[in-house]
Amino acid sequence: MPDIDSTNGARTPWQVTRSVWFAMFMRETVSRTMADRFAWFWMIFEPVAFVGIFIAIRSMIRGDRFVIGADFIPWLIVGLMGFFLFREGMNRPVGAVEANQGLFAYRQVLPIDTVLVRIALEGLLRSFVFMLFIAGGVMLGLDLFADLPMLAMWAWLSLWALGAGMGLAVSAATALVPEIGRVVRMLSLPLMLLSGVIIPMALKPYHIQQLMLYNPIAHALEFLRLGFFENYKAVHGISLLYVWLFALSMIALGLILHLRFAEELKAK
C-alpha cells in the first residue's frame, strides 16, 4: 500500500523524511560498496594490515606479556575495530554536504540528511566487517567470542554514537571552513596512540593514564575489551557515562550547527 496519510491523502513529514533517508541510504550503499571494485577489499584489508604490522612490532618486544587477562592478537583486533568504527563515523561525514549539493534542489532533502545517512551506513558496514573478523578469528582458533556480549554490544554502540556526534559537528564545521576537515583527518594517528589501541593503558605511568582518561575513546575501548575478555585488567576510572555525556553533547552541537547554518550549507 502507498505510504499515505489516510486522513487527508498527503504524506506526513515523518513519512517524507523516511523516504528521503531510504533513497539516500540506497544511493550511498551502492556508491560506497560498488562504485570501486576494491571497496570491500580495502575495508577488510586495512584492519588486517594494521593487525599484521602491529603484531610484527610487538612480537619484537614480546608484546604478549604486556596484556593482562587477554591474548594479544584478539585484544589488538578488538581495539582496532572499535577505533575504526569511531574514526569512520567521524571522518566519513566530512564532505557529505558538498558531495550531495545537487540533491538540495529538492526541498525535502536537507544537508543533515546526507550526514546522518553516511553515519548509519558506516556503522553498519563496520559492524559487518567486525563480524567477519570474529568469524574468521574463531575459525583460526583465536579467542574472539565475547565473554560479556551485552557489555560488548553496548560499548560498540557507544563508540558508534561518539563517532556520530563528532561526525555531525565536524561535517557542518568543515562545510563552512574546509581547512577543519584536513586537521580532523590528521588527528587519526594521534588519537589512535592516545586511546590505548596499541599499548595497554595499564602499562602507562599513572599521570599519563590520568591524561588519557580525558579521552572518551579510551573509556569506550576499555569497556569493549572488557566485554570480550572478562579477565582483562582495565585501568581504574573508566566510565561509559562519561562516553555518553560526551557523545550526546557532540550530537547536540552537531544538530545545532546544522540547524543554524542549514541555508549556508545548501549554498556551498
Side-chain angles (χ1 to χ4, degrees), residues 161-184:
L162 192 60
M166 294 296 296
L168 276 169
V170 170
S171 62
T174 301
L176 298 171
V177 185
E179 289 75 15
I180 293 177
R182 299 173 188 171
V183 174
V184 170

Side-chain angles (χ1 to χ4, degrees), residues 60-256:
M60 296 178 185
I61 57 175
R62 305 177 76 90
D64 288 339
R65 295 186 176 184
F66 296 142
V67 182
I68 302 174
D71 293 332
F72 172 63
I73 295 177
W75 177 89
L76 181 62
I77 291 174
V78 170
L80 281 172
M81 297 305 298
F83 180 79
F84 288 157
L85 173 68
F86 164 80
R87 187 195 67 181
E88 296 304 307
M90 178 179 67
N91 287 340
R92 284 291 174 182
V94 174
V97 175
E98 294 86 343
N100 294 279
Q101 281 293 325
L103 297 178
F104 301 148
Y106 303 96
R107 62 183 179 84
Q108 297 93 336
V109 182
L110 299 174
I112 194 172
D113 294 328
T114 63
V115 175
L116 292 174
V117 166
R118 281 201 179 183
I119 289 172
L121 177 60
E122 286 304 320
L124 291 174
L125 288 176
R126 288 292 159 182
S127 298
F128 180 70
V129 171
F130 192 22
M131 286 190 288
L132 289 179
F133 267 78
I134 292 174
V138 169
M139 287 189 291
L140 292 173
L142 298 177
D143 181 20
L144 274 174
F145 275 121
D147 294 332
L148 303 170
M150 294 304 295
L151 177 60
M153 286 189 288
W154 185 240
W156 185 259
L157 181 62
S158 301
L159 282 163
W160 175 82
L162 192 60
M166 294 296 296
L168 276 169
V170 170
S171 62
T174 301
L176 298 171
V177 185
E179 289 75 15
I180 293 177
R182 299 173 188 171
V183 174
V184 170
R185 291 187 181 93
M186 291 170 58
L187 290 176
S188 293
L189 182 58
L191 280 176
M192 180 183 290
L193 298 175
L194 294 173
S195 302
V197 177
I198 305 168
I199 301 175
M201 290 178 61
L203 293 180
K204 306 289 179 64
Y206 179 77
H207 66 284
I208 299 296
Q209 291 181 21
Q210 298 306 301
L211 291 175
M212 292 178 70
L213 285 176
Y214 285 105
N215 177 8
I217 310 170
H219 291 249
L221 288 179
E222 288 289 276
F223 273 104
L224 182 62
R225 283 164 167 158
L226 276 174
F228 275 85
F229 317 111
E230 187 175 7
N231 296 321
Y232 171 61
K233 184 174 177 57
V235 297
H236 180 71
I238 56 175
S239 169
L240 278 180
L241 176 61
Y242 176 71
V243 177
W244 277 97
L245 288 175
F246 196 96
L248 292 175
S249 298
M250 294 307 300
I251 290 172
L253 175 61
L255 293 174
I256 290 170

